[in-house]
Amino acid sequence: MLKEVNSEEFKELAGKGLVLADFFSTTCGPCKMLGFVLKDVEKEFGDDLTILKVDFDQNKDLTAEYGVTGYPTLVLLKEGEEVGRLQGLQQKPVIIKLVEEHK
C-alpha cells in the first residue's frame, strides 16, 4: 500500500508490520522522482510492505520526532521501531535491499 498520510494516520499505521516512511516535500524534484521508484518498490512487495508518504512541511511533529532534517528521507520501521534509514534520491535496488534485510 502506498498512501499519503497526516500525523494521526501515520501513528495509526506505523506500528503495524513493515512500514517505509517517505518524508518528502512537494517542491522537491528528487522527491518526485523517488515517488516513481516507490511505486515500483510497492509492486515488488505487495502487502508485505506499507509505504507512507509524509509531507515534510505539513507534518513538522513527525519530522522532529524522527529527526528528519532533509528530504527525501526514507525511514524503515518494523513494528513501530526504526530499523533503517536512507537519505536522498535512492534507486530501487538499494531500497529493496534495505527492506529485504528486515523482512
Side-chain angles (χ1 to χ4, degrees), residues 27-98:
T27 59
C28 161
C31 297
K32 290 175 184 162
M33 288 187 276
L34 184 60
F36 294 112
V37 175
L38 292 176
K39 284 181 182 165
D40 279 348
V41 170
E42 177 192 27
K43 289 176 194 158
E44 191 88 16
F45 290 103
D47 292 339
D48 293 341
L49 177 68
T50 300
I51 301 173
L52 302 178
K53 294 186 65 61
V54 181
D55 188 312
F56 190 89
D57 299 311
Q58 294 179 8
N59 298 283
K60 299 245 183 244
D61 57 330
L62 288 176
T63 57
E65 184 179 333
Y66 286 92
V68 176
T69 55
Y71 42 77
T73 296
L74 296 172
V75 177
L76 184 64
L77 306 166
K78 188 170 188 174
E79 305 303 333
E81 295 296 315
E82 183 175 336
V83 293
R85 179 178 292 232
L86 296 168
Q87 290 186 293
L89 179 60
Q90 302 294 327
Q91 297 303 314
K92 182 180 171 186
V94 175
I95 299 168
I96 287 174
K97 181 175 184 260
L98 175 70

Side-chain angles (χ1 to χ4, degrees), residues 4-15:
E4 187 168 332
V5 294
N6 60 29
S7 294
E8 193 176 295
E9 292 169 309
F10 181 89
K11 289 181 169 97
E12 229 173 79
L13 297 168

